[in-house]
Amino acid sequence: MTKELVFSTSKKRQLINITNEAQKAVGESGVEEGVCLVFAPHATAAILLNEDEAGFKEDVETLLQNWIPEGNWQHNQIDDNATAHLASAFIGQSKTIPIVDGKLKLGTWQELFLLELDGPRQNRKIVVTFLAA
Ligand code: ZN
């Protein structure tokens, strides 16, 4: 079973907590035990798991600026968003999370995020696939 979630983003780079929407989709799936694949079908977005707090969001921004600085990247000759493509490729576009008792089995400080890297965008899709064990 697969569900599609859609989010709009309002900034160039933005962390959006999608945990509640993903939990709701798990509940609607009826899967009590299994795995949930959360996948962003985009080349300039990524999926992360971590703590939802302001310092983490700011640190992600600082990391991205230092790790992949704006520069003379080849892809910029196409549409000037090479840093977004590179970050998406190396951070990754999916996470797999266990489902236990009909819920995502996340750690105490784990939340699920869509990381926008080339916003704002109206239609950022997240494909959520459930596999019962
Ligand atoms: Zn591009």
Side-chain angles (χ1 to χ4, degrees):
M1 175 187 268
T2 295
K3 287 182 177 281
E4 193 171 284
L5 308 174
V6 180
F7 298 87
S8 62
T9 62
S10 59
K11 296 178 187 169
K12 168 86 174 164
R13 287 183 185 145
Q14 187 177 5
L15 272 168
I16 297 176
N17 189 328
I18 63 170
T19 310
N20 289 342
E21 289 84 352
Q23 287 280 20
K24 184 168 178 261
V26 171
E28 291 168 356
S29 76
V31 174
E32 285 293 312
E33 190 170 339
V35 290
C36 176
L37 170 67
V38 179
F39 173 72
H42 300 291
T44 56
I47 302 292
L48 283 82
L49 280 169
N50 217 285
E51 186 174 1
D52 190 356
E53 57 96 16
F56 173 70
K57 292 179 178 177
E58 290 178 14
D59 288 344
V60 167
E61 178 59 34
T62 301
L63 171 74
L64 290 171
Q65 288 174 9
N66 289 307
W67 178 38
I68 310 174
E70 296 293 336
N72 191 24
W73 303 102
Q74 293 296 307
H75 182 83
N76 284 342
Q77 295 170 22
I78 298 172
D79 59 357
D80 203 30
N81 63 355
T83 62
H85 284 274
L86 290 167
S88 174
F90 283 92
I91 294 168
Q93 297 149 354
S94 68
K95 293 290 178 192
T96 306
I97 304 160
I99 299 170
V100 177
D101 296 331
K103 293 180 180 170
L104 293 172
K105 184 72 173 172
L106 294 170
T108 303
W109 304 111
Q110 282 182 317
E111 303 269 346
L112 191 59
F113 292 95
L114 163 64
L115 174 58
E116 173 62 76
L117 294 160
D118 192 33
R121 303 280 184 125
Q122 290 294 315
N123 286 297
R124 282 307 202 184
K125 297 183 179 102
I126 304 290
V127 179
V128 188
T129 300
F130 311 96
L131 189 64

